[in-house]
Each structure stands twice: as structure tokens, then as C-alpha cells.
């Protein structure tokens, strides 16, 4: 018996998520089900992919994840189950949701689910709720041990998954460049793709300041010298701070305020961030 973790863009204002839980409990009443989030922005495959990366490796090998952000439901896009290099399973539409996991964790094996036959009994006439009828149903079977990974779907080369473009960070002797991948939503901090190891290579010390520039499609939207702190408490209220976030990447926030709202900063590959050493520092 393995844990089952669910992510969608459905929200909790209607019965969709509840129905998915009901299907899983019909398969195995003793299942333990947890929510990753149901507040992904509708159709935002990028954020769904990133939130999986944020969470997956903190769960034991064998944990089954369902991620349903599916603007192509009912089309010819495929339904897949991926076994990650770290042992977790992910059931999801093959629409780019696996991009961050494939890039930063690795996919060991991939199988394509037959949506016509491997689904909840009596649901064949419905083509708009695969989250309930295909993904949650099969995830519950996998998590409960009713079927094995090798018994679901048919094997497919792992390189065949759909991915979207993501940019990797870069570092020179003077400049670090990255993208703003996502927000720490409740608090408005920016999470970049810049690893904390870049700061170690530069030997950046706490309280040292770096010149931070943020661009949207090559237009400068923010520029200021910002201190590197152990946490938000290292700076005054409303003051910006660079810090190492929970994924060990560089974050940028305001103490007791939202950086994203204050400076109107968004996320995605169009949002670039550069960090430079102060001119009087070597």
C-alpha cells in the first residue's frame, strides 16, 4: 500500500476533487490520499510541472502522484504513467507536465494508458473528466497494489514525452543569469532557477550585496542592490533580500510584503534575472 498524492487546477468550489477521492476509495477504502494543490491556475501546465518538482522527492519511493491540468482533454493527447528515477509514479496527461521532473530528476520508465479500456467501469461515454475516470482510478489501483506498474498501459520510450522549453541558469566570473520560475504564492517571493551552488562558487557571504536586474522580454523592470540574507529577518521590514529557498535555489523577496505585487513581476521564461557583483568588490 503506497500513498496517493493529487494535484489539479479544479479548485475546491465544486464536487470534482471530491468525486476523484470517491473513485479512489471505491478501489481501496484503506488508501491514504493527500493533496499537493488544487489551485494551479487553470490550464497552466508550466506551474503544474514545477509544483511536482517542488514536492515529489519528499515522498517515499512508490508514492503515486496524479497531476491533472489538462486543456487537451478529449483530444488525441496521451495519458501516461511515468516511473521516476527516484521511484515515485506520476499519472498525467502527456502535455508537458513531466518537463521539470524529466529535466531535474529523470524518468526511468514510461507507459501509455489506454483511455478506452483502462478506466472506471461505466465511464466510457464521458470524455471530459479523465482526472476521475482514468488518472485517479488507475492511480488508486497502483497505490493499493491491485496492479503493478508493468501491468498498466504499454511501454513507450521515455524520450517520447512532450516537453516545453526551459532555460538553464548560467554563471560567469561577473554575472549570474537565470529565470523566475514561479512564485511563493502566499508571500509573493520570486523563486529563480539559480542554484545556491553558484553563490558558493562566488563565495558570496551573508550581508553582501549584489546588483539585481529583472527583465521582461529584454525590458528592464527592476534594478537594485540587494543583500544576501540567511532569512527575511536579516533585513528591515519592506526591504528586499536574496536568500536560499526550500529547493536550494536563490529566491528574492521583501520582508513582510509581496515582491511580485510591489514591483509587478511575473514568472516564466520571459522573465530574466541577472545578478552582478558590486563594482568595488572582486
Amino acid at each position: 500500500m503506497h500513498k496517493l498524492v493529487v494535484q489539479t487546477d479544479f479548485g475546491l468550489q465544486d464536487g470534482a476533487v471530491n468525486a476523484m477521492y470517491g473513485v479512489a476509495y471505491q478501489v481501496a477504502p484503506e488508501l491514504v490520499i493527500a493533496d499537493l494543490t488544487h489551485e494551479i491556475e487553470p490550464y497552466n501546465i508550466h506551474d503544474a510541472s514545477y509544483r511536482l518538482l517542488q514536492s515529489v522527492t519528499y515522498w517515499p519511493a512508490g508514492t503515486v502522484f496524479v497531476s491533472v491540468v489538462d486543456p487537451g482533454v478529449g483530444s488525441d493527447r496521451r495519458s501516461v504513467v511515468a516511473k521516476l528515477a527516484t521511484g515515485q509514479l506520476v499519472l498525467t496527461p502527456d502535455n508537458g507536465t513531466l518537463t521539470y521532473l524529466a529535466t531535474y530528476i529523470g524518468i526511468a520508465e514510461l507507459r501509455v494508458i489506454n483511455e478506452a479500456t483502462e478506466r472506471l467501469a461505466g465511464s466510457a461515454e464521458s470524455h471530459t473528466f479523465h482526472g476521475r475516470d482514468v488518472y485517479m482510478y488507475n492511480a488508486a489501483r497502483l497505490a493499493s497494489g491491485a496492479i503493478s506498474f508493468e501491468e498498466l498501459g504499454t511501454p513507450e520510450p521515455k524520450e517520447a514525452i512532450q516537453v516545453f522549453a526551459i532555460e538553464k541558469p548560467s554563471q560567469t566570473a561577473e554575472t549570474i543569469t537565470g529565470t523566475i520560475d514561479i512564485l511563493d504564492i502566499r508571500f509573493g517571493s520570486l523563486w529563480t532557477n539559480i542554484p545556491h551552488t553558484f553563490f558558493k562558487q562566488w563565495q558570496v557571504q551573508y550581508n553582501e550585496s549584489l546588483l539585481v536586474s529583472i527583465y521582461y522580454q529584454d525590458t528592464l523592470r527592476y534594478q537594485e542592490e540587494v543583500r544576501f540574507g540567511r532569512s527575511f529577518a536579516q533585513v528591515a521590514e519592506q526591504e528586499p533580500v536574496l536568500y536560499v529557498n526550500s529547493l536550494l535555489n536563490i529566491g528574492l523577496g521583501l520582508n513582510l510584503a509581496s515582491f511580485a505585487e510591489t514591483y509587478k513581476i511575473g514568472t516564466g521564461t520571459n522573465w530574466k534575472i541577472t545578478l552582478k557583483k558590486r563594482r568595488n568588490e572582486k
Side-chain angles (χ1 to χ4, degrees), residues 8 21 24-25 45 51 59 61 71 78 95 106 114 157 159 163 171 179 192 198 204 225 257 260 275 280:
T8 73
Y21 269 59
Y25 286 133
I45 294 165
R51 295 304 179 194
W59 287 81
R78 304 182 304 175
N95 58 10
N114 187 327
E159 297 79 13
V163 295
Q171 180 180 31
T179 56
T192 78
F198 281 13
V204 180
E225 286 193 356
L275 308 175
N280 62 345

Side-chain angles (χ1 to χ4, degrees), residues 5-11 16-17 20 36-45 48-49 52 65-73 77 79 90-95 97 128-137 139:
V5 182
V6 190
Q7 168 176 270
T8 73
D9 60 353
F10 298 164
V17 172
M20 292 172 68
L36 197 165
T37 180
H38 297 292
E39 300 301 328
I40 298 292
E41 179 186 22
Y43 317 123
N44 192 328
I45 294 165
S49 182
L52 285 171
F65 283 78
V66 169
S67 181
V68 187
V69 176
D70 194 11
V73 63
R77 66 96 186 91
S79 293
V90 183
L91 291 86
T92 186
D94 182 26
N95 58 10
T97 298
T128 60
F129 200 175
H130 287 165
R132 177 195 65 194
D133 301 334
V134 177
Y135 302 118
M136 199 67 161
Y137 171 68

Side-chain angles (χ1 to χ4, degrees), residues 190-210:
L190 314 181
W191 283 15
T192 78
N193 66 342
I194 298 169
H196 77 294
T197 53
F198 281 13
F199 274 28
K200 289 191 172 183
Q201 291 173 30
W202 267 8
Q203 298 182 331
V204 180
Q205 303 298 312
Y206 291 128
N207 290 318
E208 183 177 337
S209 293
L210 299 175

Side-chain angles (χ1 to χ4, degrees), residues 145-159:
I147 59 170
S148 67
F149 174 77
E150 291 75 18
E151 293 174 308
L152 179 60
T154 56
E156 182 79 1
K158 58 189 179 183
E159 297 79 13

Side-chain angles (χ1 to χ4, degrees), residues 4-133:
L4 175 53
V5 182
V6 190
Q7 168 176 270
T8 73
D9 60 353
F10 298 164
L12 296 172
Q13 294 178 316
D14 63 18
V17 172
N18 183 270
M20 292 172 68
Y21 269 59
V23 166
Y25 286 133
Q26 284 191 54
V27 172
E30 66 275 25
L31 275 173
V32 176
I33 307 176
D35 297 311
L36 197 165
T37 180
H38 297 292
E39 300 301 328
I40 298 292
E41 179 186 22
Y43 317 123
N44 192 328
I45 294 165
H46 172 276
D47 284 10
S49 182
Y50 192 94
R51 295 304 179 194
L52 285 171
L53 177 67
Q54 182 183 356
S55 301
V56 160
T57 57
Y58 294 97
W59 287 81
T63 300
V64 180
F65 283 78
V66 169
S67 181
V68 187
V69 176
D70 194 11
V73 63
S75 70
D76 59 358
R77 66 96 186 91
R78 304 182 304 175
S79 293
V80 297
V81 53
K83 179 182 285 187
L84 303 183
T86 46
Q88 300 84 359
L89 304 180
V90 183
L91 291 86
T92 186
D94 182 26
N95 58 10
T97 298
L98 292 170
T99 298
Y100 274 100
L101 296 178
T103 302
Y104 291 103
I105 295 178
I107 294 175
E109 298 180 63
L110 184 73
R111 301 183 73 87
V112 176
I113 300 169
N114 187 327
E115 295 175 0
T117 60
E118 295 175 310
R119 62 183 298 143
L120 179 67
S123 68
E125 297 301 317
S126 173
H127 304 285
T128 60
F129 200 175
H130 287 165
R132 177 195 65 194
D133 301 334

Side-chain angles (χ1 to χ4, degrees), residues 244-255:
V244 177
N245 71 14
S246 59
L247 296 184
L248 302 184
N249 287 336
I250 300 302
L252 174 60
L254 290 179
N255 186 18

